[in-house]
Amino acid sequence: MLHIYWFRKDLRLTDNRAISEFINSVSGNDKFFFLYIKNRNTYKYFGEKRLGFLYETLIELNEELGKLNFHLEIIEGKSKNVFKSLTENYKELSVYCNKQVEPYCIGRDEEVKELLNETGNKFHSYSDTTLFEPGEVLNGEGNQYKVYTPFKNQCLKILKDADFKKIDSDLSRLNPDNEESISGLNKIDPDSELQKINKSDFLKGGRQEGLKLLKEFYENGLEEYRSKRDIPSVGGTSLLSAHLHFGTIGIREAFRTAFVKYDKVNNESSKGEIQTWINELLWREFYYNITFHNPRIIFESFKKECDNIRWNNDIHNFDKWCQGKTGYPIVDAGMRQLVKEGWMHNRVRMVTAMFLTKDLLTDWRWGEKFFAEHLIDLDFSSNNGGWQWSASTGVDAQPYFRIFNPYLQSKKFDPGGIYIRKYLPELRTLPAEFIHNPSLMNEEQQKLYGVIIDKDYPSPIVEHFKVKDEVVKRFKEALDSELK
Ligand SMILES: Cc1cc2nc3c(=O)[nH]c(=O)nc-3n(C[C@H](O)[C@H](O)[C@H](O)COP(=O)(O)OP(=O)(O)OC[C@H]3O[C@@H](n4cnc5c(N)ncnc54)[C@H](O)[C@@H]3O)c2cc1C
C-alpha cells in the first residue's frame, strides 16, 4: 500500500483534517509520500507575485517536513497525468486531500478519483477549507441562503467550540524509513523557480509569516478592527487573506484566535470590534457556499438577467483603469497598489470595482480577471463575490442605483490623502484640498503645486456625476428584457 498526501490549498502540517486522517491510515510498513502538484488545469490566473508567495510557502513546507526527515515532492503537470503515471508504477494507492469548492477543482478531483477508482486505488477527501462544510448551512426550507445576514446569524447560532477545535496531526508517528521517493515525473525546485520571478515585497509566503501576522493582529489589531478596517492608510486589517487562501493559516485557527480574544476582553465595545472580524470570516464562508451551490457563477452573473446588461466595454478606458490613470486618485492609488504589491485594501477594492462597473460601465468579468491576474490572495469565491457585489449582479449585492461617489469615498476613508500620496507620487505635493480631485485646480494652482493636469496627472476619464442615469437605464433595460 502506498499512501499519498496531496497538498493543495492546505499548505501546513498542523491542524489539518486530511493530514490527520492520512496519519491515522498509514500503518505498519506502509509506504507513503507528500505531494504538491503545480498544475495548469485549475484556475489559469496565477500572477507572478502570487507564484512567489506559493514558492516561498512550498520551500518552507519542505523544510518543515525535512525537520521530521520527510520531504515534499513538487511536480509540475496536469494532476490526472501525474496520478496516471503513479498508477502505472505503483499498486494500491491511497490518496488523501482536503476538498476544494471551486468548479474547476471539483472537475479535476472527479477526473483523478475516477482514474484511481478504475485502477483499483482509493481517493479520500475531507472538508477543511471552511469552518462549515459548504452546503451544510441551509435555511429553514433546506435551501441555500441568498442573503448574508441570515446566513451569518445561522452560522453563529449553530457554531460550537468543537467546530474550531485544533485537529491533532502528529507526523512524528510516521516512520521516515517508509517514505517513498518517486521518480520519472517532472519535479520542480521552488528555490530556483523563485529566482525567475518578480515577487512581492509586501506579502511573504510560508506558515511562519502567517503565524507572525496572526499574532500581531491578535495583540494589536483585533480589538480595533471595526474602527480601523476601512482606512486604507492604516494597517487595520489582518493581511491574512493569502494565508487563509493557501492554508498556511487554517480557518479553525483564525476563528479560534478571534474567540479566545473575544472571551478575554470584558467590554462590549472591544467585543464588537472582534465580532466584526468574525463576520468578515463568515463573508468568506458565505461566498464559498455561493460557489458550491451555483458553480455557474464562474461564467455567469448570479442574477442571470444581469447578463443582458449592455456594457460599454471600452478597451481604452479599461486600460487606463488597469494602469491607475483614470484621473480619480483613490481609484488610481488602489490600482497601483494592486499591481505593485499584489494586494489591495478591501475598501479600495470596492471603490475600484464599483468605478469600473458603474462609472466605466465595464463587464465585471474584465475586472475580476485583472484582479485574478494580480492578487496574491486571489480566491475564486471571494473575488467573484466581491466583483458581483460591486457590479450589483451578485447575490445580496449592492443595489444598482447605489453608486459609490469616488470623491466622497476618498474624503471619508482617506481624508488626509495619505494612502493616495503613497501610491501616486506625482500627487505628493498637493494639499488635502485638491488631493481627492486634482482637476479642480486652476492653472495658477497647478503651477504652484507642480502638478499640471493632463501632463503630470490625467483629468477624469469620465464625469462621475453624469453616469448614474445611464447605469440605471442599462440595468432597467436588462431587467425589463427578462420580464418580456
Ligand atoms: C472586488 C473585490 C475582490 C476581492 N477579491 C478577493 C480575493 O480574491 N481573495 C480574498 O481573500 N478576498 C477578496 N476580497 C475580499 C477582501 O477584500 C479581502 O479578503 C481583504 O481585503 C483581505 O485583507 P485582510 O486579510 O487584511 O482582511 P481582514 O479584513 O483582516 O479579514 C479577515 C479575512 O476575512 C475574509 N474576508 C474579509 N472580507 C471579506 C469579503 N468581503 N469577502 C470574503 N472574505 C472576506 C478574508 O479571508 C480575510 O483575510 C475581494 C473584495 C472585493 C470587493
Side-chain angles (χ1 to χ4, degrees):
M1 171 83 78
L2 176 63
H3 299 262
I4 303 174
Y5 188 76
W6 185 12
F7 283 103
R8 293 107 68 92
K9 271 169 61 176
D10 55 338
L11 301 172
R12 67 182 186 285
L13 302 178
T14 49
D15 198 358
N16 179 328
R17 197 182 301 276
I19 287 199
S20 170
E21 298 289 340
F22 165 77
I23 296 168
N24 290 338
S25 309
V26 178
S27 59
N29 281 331
D30 285 352
K31 294 276 185 189
F32 61 87
F33 75 91
F34 300 91
L35 172 70
Y36 180 83
I37 305 174
K38 183 172 169 258
N39 51 12
R40 292 182 186 279
N41 58 323
T42 54
Y43 207 39
K44 56 182 180 282
Y45 307 116
F46 227 110
E48 273 207 332
K49 298 197 164 41
R50 182 167 155 81
L51 268 182
F53 188 99
L54 171 68
Y55 291 141
E56 285 169 346
T57 299
L58 293 175
I59 291 167
E60 196 188 286
L61 186 62
N62 189 35
E63 283 167 5
E64 288 302 307
L65 284 167
K67 289 180 191 163
L68 297 159
N69 293 320
F70 305 129
H71 76 285
L72 180 64
E73 300 280 7
I74 306 171
I75 310 291
E76 176 141 32
K78 194 170 185 300
S79 304
K80 189 181 171 185
N81 296 343
V82 172
F83 283 102
K84 190 160 185 303
S85 164
L86 288 168
T87 57
E88 286 162 3
N89 291 306
Y90 294 94
K91 295 250 164 328
E92 285 191 81
L93 299 183
S94 209
V95 177
Y96 299 82
C97 58
N98 284 310
K99 286 181 196 167
Q100 288 186 252
V101 76
E102 300 79 8
Y104 39 89
C105 296
I106 290 178
R108 174 203 59 200
D109 285 357
E110 275 168 3
E111 269 189 357
V112 170
K113 190 173 171 185
E114 201 181 302
L115 169 88
L116 289 170
N117 288 344
E118 275 169 5
T119 47
N121 299 298
K122 294 197 177 94
F123 181 84
H124 312 271
S125 61
Y126 305 90
S127 176
D128 190 71
T129 308
T130 42
L131 195 62
F132 298 103
E133 177 151 19
E136 183 187 339
V137 182
L138 296 170
N139 65 19
E141 283 87 53
N143 296 324
Q144 64 171 317
Y145 281 98
K146 293 186 186 169
V147 180
Y148 164 75
T149 303
F151 169 85
K152 176 199 75 179
N153 292 341
Q154 179 64 9
C155 290
L156 292 172
K157 190 171 148 200
I158 61 174
L159 184 72
K160 304 176 295 301
D161 287 0
D163 294 326
F164 48 83
K165 191 170 172 265
K166 186 173 179 183
I167 293 177
D168 169 53
S169 44
D170 181 9
L171 279 161
S172 66
R173 283 165 52 193
L174 301 182
N175 181 355
D177 293 342
N178 291 336
E179 195 191 34
E180 185 74 18
S181 237
I182 54 163
S183 56
L185 285 163
N186 184 23
K187 295 192 187 187
I188 56 166
D189 170 18
D191 264 311
S192 59
E193 295 295 322
L194 194 57
Q195 307 310 317
K196 297 180 200 158
I197 56 170
N198 179 14
K199 66 186 183 76
S200 172
D201 295 328
F202 182 70
L203 284 180
K204 193 173 161 347
R207 177 160 168 80
Q208 290 315 314
E209 183 67 17
L211 286 173
K212 210 167 91 188
L213 289 173
L214 186 62
K215 183 168 182 281
E216 166 67 23
F217 187 63
Y218 176 85
E219 285 169 0
N220 301 314
L222 256 173
E223 272 184 82
E224 296 183 315
Y225 178 72
R226 187 175 54 194
S227 314
K228 289 189 173 168
R229 70 183 176 133
D230 268 322
I231 312 294
S233 63
V234 171
T237 68
S238 68
L239 294 181
L240 282 168
S241 47
H243 291 281
L244 289 170
H245 171 81
F246 284 105
T248 40
I249 294 297
I251 193 65
R252 282 181 297 280
E253 214 166 5
F255 274 99
R256 226 168 29 238
T257 305
F259 282 113
V260 166
K261 189 83 176 187
Y262 187 92
D263 289 342
K264 258 191 186 164
V265 299
N266 42 27
N267 66 76
E268 285 311 306
S269 153
S270 296
K271 283 191 190 291
E273 301 272 342
I274 299 165
Q275 184 62 54
T276 306
W277 196 65
I278 293 169
N279 295 349
E280 292 307 311
L281 295 177
L282 290 170
W283 266 108
R284 180 179 175 275
E285 299 272 321
F286 179 63
Y287 283 141
Y288 269 71
N289 273 271
I290 295 301
T291 303
F292 173 80
H293 288 290
N294 315 278
R296 63 180 179 81
I297 57 165
I298 188 161
F299 303 116
E300 291 177 5
S301 296
F302 182 88
K303 291 181 187 138
K304 281 189 177 162
E305 59 276 22
C306 290
D307 279 338
N308 296 329
I309 294 171
R310 277 187 308 119
W311 300 106
N312 284 351
N313 290 347
D314 178 323
I315 187 75
H316 299 293
N317 280 348
F318 178 67
D319 280 347
K320 286 181 181 151
W321 177 82
C322 295
Q323 292 167 32
K325 291 188 175 167
T326 65
Y328 285 84
I330 190 73
V331 174
D332 294 342
M335 296 309 294
R336 303 242 199 122
Q337 178 180 27
L338 174 65
V339 172
K340 183 167 180 253
E341 295 176 348
W343 191 82
M344 195 198 292
H345 187 278
N346 179 59
R347 170 58 49 185
V348 195
R349 289 189 205 204
M350 292 193 284
V351 172
T352 52
M354 180 82 78
F355 185 83
L356 183 73
T357 52
K358 303 289 174 51
D359 289 82
L360 300 184
L361 265 164
T362 305
D363 193 327
W364 58 267
R365 281 160 279 234
W366 290 32
E368 182 199 28
K369 178 171 178 290
F370 190 78
F371 269 34
E373 287 164 346
H374 290 272
L375 281 175
I376 295 173
D377 68 18
L378 166 64
D379 193 282
F380 171 76
S381 302
S382 302
N383 196 36
N384 185 281
W387 272 96
Q388 294 220 45
W389 181 91
S390 310
S392 308
T393 62
V395 63
D396 200 7
Q398 183 79 333
Y400 65 83
F401 45 83
R402 208 170 291 154
I403 303 172
F404 279 3
N405 174 335
Y407 299 122
L408 289 185
Q409 289 284 315
S410 187
K411 281 184 190 158
K412 185 166 176 195
F413 298 110
D414 188 29
I418 300 172
Y419 176 77
I420 292 174
R421 286 194 193 86
K422 179 167 179 195
Y423 295 101
L424 302 181
E426 66 271 41
L427 300 185
R428 263 183 202 155
T429 51
L430 292 192
E433 189 189 353
F434 297 119
I435 195 79
H436 308 286
N437 186 358
S439 65
L440 287 180
M441 289 187 292
N442 61 31
E443 277 182 23
E444 216 173 292
Q445 288 159 331
Q446 292 179 34
K447 279 188 201 135
L448 176 69
Y449 298 119
V451 179
I452 308 299
I453 296 300
D454 286 331
K455 178 173 162 278
D456 301 312
Y457 187 72
S459 46
I461 55 173
V462 285
E463 218 179 299
H464 172 73
F465 298 102
K466 288 193 178 159
V467 297
K468 183 164 179 179
D469 289 351
E470 192 57 27
V471 171
V472 170
K473 189 176 128 202
R474 301 275 180 107
F475 268 83
K476 278 195 171 157
E477 244 175 46
L479 300 178
D480 288 351
S481 70
E482 191 62 19
L483 293 175
K484 277 175 200 155

